[in-house]
Amino acid sequence: GAVVSQHPSWVICKSGTSVKIECRSLDFQATTMFWYRQFPKQSLMLMATSNEGSKATYEQGVEKDKFLINHASLTLSTLTVTSAHPEDSSFYICSARLGGSLADTQYFGPGTRLTVL
Amino acid sequence: QQQVKQSPQSLIVQKGGISIINCAYENTAFDYFPWYQQFPGKGPALLIAIRPDVSEKKEGRFTISFNKSAKQFSLHIMDSQPGDSATYFCAASISLFGNEKLTFGTGTRLTIIP
């Protein structure tokens, strides 16, 4: 149980285009999902917290207009990187939080490798 | 202070040995401490987690030791195997008022040699 998927697993795009990454909780409902960014050999950096049916909460320094997050249902959150540039190339990982007595537990997706040319 | 300090940065252990990774925190409001294992090109996978009301938790070969007064916690991997070679992250969060944001340590790259 507690499986989180991401699509696509990798994407290559041209500078200036937009890329959408999907995060799905496959076997549970996630009221809260998180989006992280990870550079090579570094730790995970939280970008934003996404709650179903409400606006995402972004961490300090993360551009809201560049990284659009939509949490339309209890099993799906999307991250859209708008007008992508080479410096946006990174590994993007989502996580979903279980509710109830395991409310603190976050389960991570497999990640999406974004390369902007 | 939201920082979680993790050491060592890298660790080499012989097969069958004990791998020990340490983390320290400042914020006494933290009340949930998970450890994640990450293989290259993959997302982190929850390994084991502990709350401050216990000093130790064991699951198979993995044990978390927790020292509330010292604000430290550690991961012990017994009988380490080559398949355990991965990057390990400690983390901490605060449960109060639904603030479940995880603060991650900097990671430890573990290599198990035959």
Side-chain angles (χ1 to χ4, degrees):
Chain A
V3 178
V4 177
S5 71
Q6 277 184 246
H7 178 79
S9 56
W10 59 270
V11 57
I12 301 173
C13 69
K14 292 182 178 179
S15 185
T17 60
S18 294
V19 174
K20 180 185 283 189
I21 302 170
E22 292 186 349
C23 176
R24 293 182 185 272
S25 56
L26 297 184
D27 50 2
F28 66 99
Q29 292 184 330
T31 54
T32 305
M33 290 184 173
F34 302 85
W35 286 96
Y36 295 83
R37 185 172 181 176
Q38 187 178 34
F39 291 105
K41 298 183 180 180
Q42 292 191 23
S43 190
L44 287 80
M45 287 176 45
L46 180 64
M47 298 175 66
T49 302
S50 167
N51 289 294
E52 186 266 338
S54 63
K55 290 184 179 180
T57 302
Y58 290 81
E59 294 300 298
Q60 193 172 9
V62 177
E63 298 176 59
K64 301 179 183 182
D65 296 331
K66 182 166 189 63
F67 299 100
L68 301 178
I69 292 172
N70 183 282
H71 195 155
S73 76
L74 288 172
T75 59
L76 173 65
S77 176
T78 60
L79 168 67
T80 301
V81 183
T82 62
S83 186
H85 287 90
E87 58 265 29
D88 299 323
S89 298
S90 188
F91 194 51
Y92 292 88
I93 312 172
C94 72
S95 72
R97 181 176 67 85
L98 278 174
S101 61
L102 295 174
D104 298 314
T105 304
Q106 287 187 32
Y107 292 89
F108 285 80
T112 296
R113 173 76 58 192
L114 170 63
T115 302
V116 185
L117 302 176
Chain B
Q1 283 276 8
Q2 295 291 319
Q3 197 175 16
V4 177
K5 295 181 180 179
Q6 184 172 346
S7 63
Q9 188 174 9
S10 62
L11 179 62
I12 299 174
V13 174
Q14 208 149 21
K15 179 183 175 182
I18 303 173
S19 304
I20 302 174
I21 305 170
N22 301 298
C23 283
Y25 62 97
E26 289 294 326
N27 191 342
T28 55
F30 285 141
D31 60 359
Y32 177 69
F33 303 89
W35 283 90
Y36 286 88
Q37 178 190 56
Q38 186 180 30
F39 293 104
K42 303 294 183 183
L46 179 65
L47 205 56
I48 187 172
I50 198 168
R51 295 190 182 277
D53 52 344
V54 296
S55 60
E56 186 176 281
K57 182 175 182 180
K58 183 176 180 179
E59 290 184 2
R61 295 185 295 111
F62 301 95
T63 299
I64 298 180
S65 296
F66 185 82
N67 187 328
K68 189 173 181 178
S69 60
K71 291 184 285 185
Q72 295 175 347
F73 59 109
S74 60
L75 175 70
H76 292 61
I77 305 175
M78 312 298 288
D79 187 26
S80 300
Q81 299 297 312
D84 296 330
S85 297
T87 299
Y88 292 80
F89 293 96
C90 63
S93 69
I94 305 169
S95 303
L96 191 62
F97 303 128
N99 180 5
E100 306 88 7
K101 289 196 298 184
L102 285 170
T103 299
F104 280 89
T106 49
T108 296
R109 179 167 290 193
L110 174 64
T111 303
I112 308 300
I113 55 175

